[in-house]
DNA sequence: ACTAGGTCCTGGTTGC
DNA sequence: TGCAACCAGGACCTAG
């Protein structure tokens, strides 16, 4: 599932192939995949003739591709979305939702089995956060100096929420999903159910450092720690059991050999080592 | 103001 | 064996 490291990897990969490419034809195969403008035919029409630039940004799990005339293509992959840069004669993916034919004979394809992903075309002069839903509510980037132990202490004061739930809240910090949340909790030695107000200053420092560490590691491994992720060329990541705890229920902890446990929290599976993550 | 739980969606996996 | 139920999860929505 694409989280911050996967989206950042995608952004960097697209920089190698997309700048200068001009859209000559757009096919929307699934209306739901378009967030704005609707109906999707309006989106398609407005995208024709647009040219991609070398200016792209990532905010949390959102990807923002700036177009030459000043518009912005916003992308959220959600659960199963992929952006693929393909030669036009490459066989179409079974869950292709939107296809941008490019003047060079390539195609930028948005493939998304579960149809949760969205594309938005932000018109020239309109603030991106006004069009791309969820963007305005995002908290700080994890790598922003603003995101430190003091910030967490302020946000956690008087809150009883389980720590794992807090990490999934994009308003607290942008970009963490279920998998990196579990990994960051393991690396900081904190139990996912700990009420956030109970964390000590020292624990908050460990938490912040662990979050930054697992995300940086994820980027360094090209997001390859995730099972279903593939890059812009469709190359599959090597999940290969890199994770400390995610998806390892019953398997021995890599640090202490205790069996990894799983519980359900806010509808999400949560993996942890009961011995290493006792507080 | 805060929190929990349901919803969307579909293919793979599990269980009877 | 065959089929149904369950599971995966990001963001949004509603209810308490």
């Amino acid at each position: 599932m694409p989280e911050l490291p996967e989206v950042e990897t995608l952004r960097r990969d697209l920089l190698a192939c997309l700048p200068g490419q001009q859209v000559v034809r757009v096919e929307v195969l699934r209306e739901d995949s378009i967030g704005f403008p609707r109906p999707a035919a309006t989106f398609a029409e407005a995208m024709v003739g647009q040219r991609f630039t070398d200016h792209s940004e990532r905010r949390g799990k959102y990807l923002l591709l700036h177009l030459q005339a000043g518009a912005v293509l916003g992308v959220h992959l959600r659960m199963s979305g992929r952006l693929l840069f393909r030669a036009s004669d490459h066989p179409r993916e079974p869950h292709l939702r939107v296809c941008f034919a490019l003047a060079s004979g390539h195609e930028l394809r948005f493939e998304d089995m579960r149809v949760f992903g969205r594309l938005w075309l932000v018109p020239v002069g309109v603030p991106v956060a006004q069009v791309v839903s969820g963007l305005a509510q995002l908290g700080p980037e994890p790598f922003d100096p603003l995101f430190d132990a003091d910030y967490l202490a302020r946000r956690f004061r008087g809150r009883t929420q389980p720590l794992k739930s807090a990490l999934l809240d994009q308003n607290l910090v942008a970009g963490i999903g279920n998998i990196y949340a579990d990994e960051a909790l393991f690396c900081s030695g904190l139990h996912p159910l700990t009420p956030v107000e109970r964390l000590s200053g020292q624990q908050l420092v460990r938490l912040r450092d662990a979050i930054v560490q697992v995300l940086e590691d994820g980027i360094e491994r090209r997001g390859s720690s995730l099972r279903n992720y593939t890059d812009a060329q469709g190359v599959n990541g090597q999940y290969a059991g890199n994770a400390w705890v995610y998806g390892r229920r019953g398997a021995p902890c890599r640090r202490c050999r205790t069996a990894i446990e799983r519980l359900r929290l806010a509808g999400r599976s949560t993996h942890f080592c009961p011995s290493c993550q006792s507080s």
Side-chain angles (χ1 to χ4, degrees), chain A residues 184-255:
Chain A
L185 287 178
F186 176 83
C187 291
S188 52
L190 297 170
H191 194 287
L193 295 179
T194 308
V196 291
E197 66 178 354
R198 296 227 199 116
L199 295 167
S200 70
Q202 193 181 13
Q203 288 174 320
L204 291 175
V205 170
R206 291 213 316 261
L207 176 63
R208 180 265 165 202
D209 290 350
I211 289 170
V212 170
Q213 184 69 55
V214 298
L215 294 174
E216 281 179 350
D217 284 355
I219 292 172
E220 199 158 317
R221 288 203 285 257
R222 297 182 43 77
S224 61
S225 60
L226 300 194
R227 213 182 328 233
N228 297 332
Y229 176 73
T230 63
D231 65 19
Q233 273 72 45
V235 176
N236 217 309
Q238 304 297 310
Y239 182 64
N242 274 334
W244 289 103
V245 289
Y246 184 81
R248 300 191 68 240
R249 175 172 56 158
C253 172
R254 299 189 196 284
R255 289 225 173 103

Side-chain angles (χ1 to χ4, degrees), chain A residues 26-279:
Chain A
V26 179
E27 210 178 327
V28 178
L29 296 99
R30 182 81 179 218
E31 183 91 12
D32 297 340
S33 294
I34 304 302
F36 186 88
R38 296 284 288 256
T42 318
F43 170 90
E45 196 181 329
M47 277 301 297
V48 171
Q50 299 280 2
R51 192 184 290 275
F52 290 97
T53 68
D54 59 2
H55 182 199
S56 65
E57 307 167 81
R58 180 196 51 72
R59 265 291 277 142
K61 304 167 196 169
Y62 292 83
L63 179 62
L64 303 172
L65 301 173
H66 288 254
L67 304 168
Q68 198 166 58
V72 175
L73 180 63
V75 180
H76 198 306
L77 303 173
R78 292 281 192 105
M79 303 289 303
S80 58
R82 296 196 294 162
L83 272 185
L84 298 160
F85 187 80
R86 299 284 204 199
S88 56
D89 59 357
H90 190 283
R92 288 200 159 183
E93 294 70 22
H95 304 292
L96 184 64
R97 306 305 185 196
V98 182
C99 185
F100 301 93
L102 306 167
S104 62
H106 293 86
E107 291 177 349
L108 180 67
R109 299 179 182 175
F110 179 63
E111 193 232 8
D112 185 20
M113 183 185 82
R114 275 174 261 190
V115 208
F116 289 170
R118 289 289 179 276
L119 304 183
W120 301 265
L121 177 59
V122 185
V124 181
V126 177
V128 174
Q130 199 173 300
V131 169
V132 179
S133 62
L135 203 58
Q137 284 74 249
L138 283 187
E141 286 292 312
F143 307 130
D144 190 321
L146 188 87
F147 179 69
D148 60 11
D150 285 342
Y151 168 79
L152 288 172
R154 287 195 301 277
R155 292 293 305 259
F156 287 171
R157 198 164 296 142
R159 305 277 297 269
T160 58
Q161 191 182 25
L163 177 53
K164 167 73 182 284
S165 303
L167 293 190
L168 293 176
D169 180 358
Q170 302 300 299
N171 181 248
L172 176 77
V173 56
I176 302 175
N178 200 45
I179 296 166
Y180 287 98
D182 282 3
E183 295 297 287
L185 287 178
F186 176 83
C187 291
S188 52
L190 297 170
H191 194 287
L193 295 179
T194 308
V196 291
E197 66 178 354
R198 296 227 199 116
L199 295 167
S200 70
Q202 193 181 13
Q203 288 174 320
L204 291 175
V205 170
R206 291 213 316 261
L207 176 63
R208 180 265 165 202
D209 290 350
I211 289 170
V212 170
Q213 184 69 55
V214 298
L215 294 174
E216 281 179 350
D217 284 355
I219 292 172
E220 199 158 317
R221 288 203 285 257
R222 297 182 43 77
S224 61
S225 60
L226 300 194
R227 213 182 328 233
N228 297 332
Y229 176 73
T230 63
D231 65 19
Q233 273 72 45
V235 176
N236 217 309
Q238 304 297 310
Y239 182 64
N242 274 334
W244 289 103
V245 289
Y246 184 81
R248 300 191 68 240
R249 175 172 56 158
C253 172
R254 299 189 196 284
R255 289 225 173 103
C256 75
R257 316 310 291 169
T258 302
I260 300 301
E261 291 184 10
R262 186 175 76 160
L263 55 83
R264 288 198 82 77
L265 178 54
R268 302 287 170 260
S269 65
T270 296
H271 311 73
F272 67 103
C273 171
S275 171
C276 294
Q277 298 170 256
S278 50
S279 56

